[in-house]
Amino acid sequence: MANIFIIALLCFTISVSSSLNYSYGAAEENMHYMVVGHVYCDTCRVEFETKLSEPISGAVVKLECRNRTNEAITFQSPEIVADSHGDYHIIVEGDYEESDCDVALVRSPRADCSDPTEAWRKSRVVLTTFDGLSNKLRFANNLGFKKDIALPQCTRILKEMGYYELSQEDGDFELSQEDGDFTHSSEL
């Protein structure tokens, strides 16, 4: 009876040890992640997507991971070109627990929409299994370039959205003093 207990305990220990080794050890060396994301043209120049935003086919992005301690580059993808829907996929091999990884905009093929939005020019992704996620698919926030001049229809769309905090940059919208309506800065 004691021998059965010892054999069962030994089998349980080996099982737990090998599964922990797979989860936290050897698996990281051969771990593959797919980072997916989307690049768009911010046609209203408000630094977020609206229903007027357009995908940018041919936009170029790059993934770079840097060590948190000494800022050394631990991974750098080749330049990746977005497809006809503005979507991209980056394959990454390895686990980057000690690194901060960012997908960043490199360039836009559109001359009228090539200014990277400050808020969405890069997106952080976590490339480790130590974060509690076991899925190999990682999603980056959407990245955007600003259109040179906002579309005229943006006034209506932004009113519908209830957005009232608009800046007064060239080509952006501002709040009219008379009636509280949005006006395009070129209408002033």
Side-chain angles (χ1 to χ4, degrees):
M1 185 72 169
N3 288 341
I4 294 174
F5 176 75
I6 292 173
I7 292 172
L9 182 62
L10 181 62
C11 289
F12 176 76
T13 304
I14 291 171
S15 174
V16 168
S17 173
S18 64
S19 66
L20 287 176
N21 184 38
Y22 179 76
S23 296
Y24 296 109
E28 281 108 32
E29 293 175 16
N30 299 320
M31 190 66 167
H32 286 82
Y33 297 99
M34 180 182 288
V35 178
V36 297
H38 180 76
V39 182
Y40 68 95
C41 178
D42 177 6
T43 56
C44 292
R45 296 184 54 84
V46 289
E47 297 198 1
F48 59 83
E49 279 187 276
T50 66
K51 60 184 173 183
L52 295 176
S53 296
E54 302 165 349
I56 301 182
S57 172
V60 178
V61 299
K62 190 174 200 173
L63 174 69
E64 186 175 273
C65 299
R66 291 184 174 269
N67 182 286
R68 289 187 191 116
T69 307
N70 62 12
E71 295 290 315
I73 294 174
T74 56
F75 177 83
Q76 192 170 42
S77 76
E79 291 185 349
I80 304 295
V81 179
D83 65 16
S84 61
H85 304 288
D87 298 327
Y88 61 86
H89 306 82
I90 303 171
I91 303 295
V92 181
E93 185 176 339
D95 192 279
Y96 296 91
E97 178 192 9
E98 300 299 324
S99 297
D100 290 328
C101 300
D102 296 303
V103 179
L105 294 171
V106 176
R107 66 183 166 278
S108 171
R110 290 181 50 176
D112 69 327
C113 193
S114 59
D115 179 22
T117 61
E118 189 57 36
W120 303 116
R121 62 185 172 79
K122 67 180 180 175
S123 174
R124 176 77 33 105
V125 290
V126 178
L127 298 175
T128 182
T129 56
F130 289 108
D131 63 353
L133 299 174
S134 60
N135 192 342
K136 295 179 181 181
L137 186 61
R138 301 301 165 102
F139 296 93
N141 288 333
N142 293 347
L143 302 172
F145 288 98
K146 282 186 191 177
K147 188 164 177 61
D148 291 343
I149 298 173
L151 298 175
Q153 334 51 318
C154 290
T155 302
R156 180 180 47 82
I157 298 302
L158 294 170
K159 272 186 184 179
E160 290 172 7
M161 294 173 66
Y163 188 70
Y164 297 101
E165 299 174 21
L166 300 170
S167 70
Q168 296 182 5
E169 291 181 46
D170 287 335
D172 288 351
F173 290 90
E174 56 187 38
L175 192 57
S176 168
Q177 300 299 323
E178 309 93 66
D179 54 6
D181 285 340
F182 291 109
T183 55
H184 192 275
S185 53
S186 65
E187 296 172 4
L188 297 175

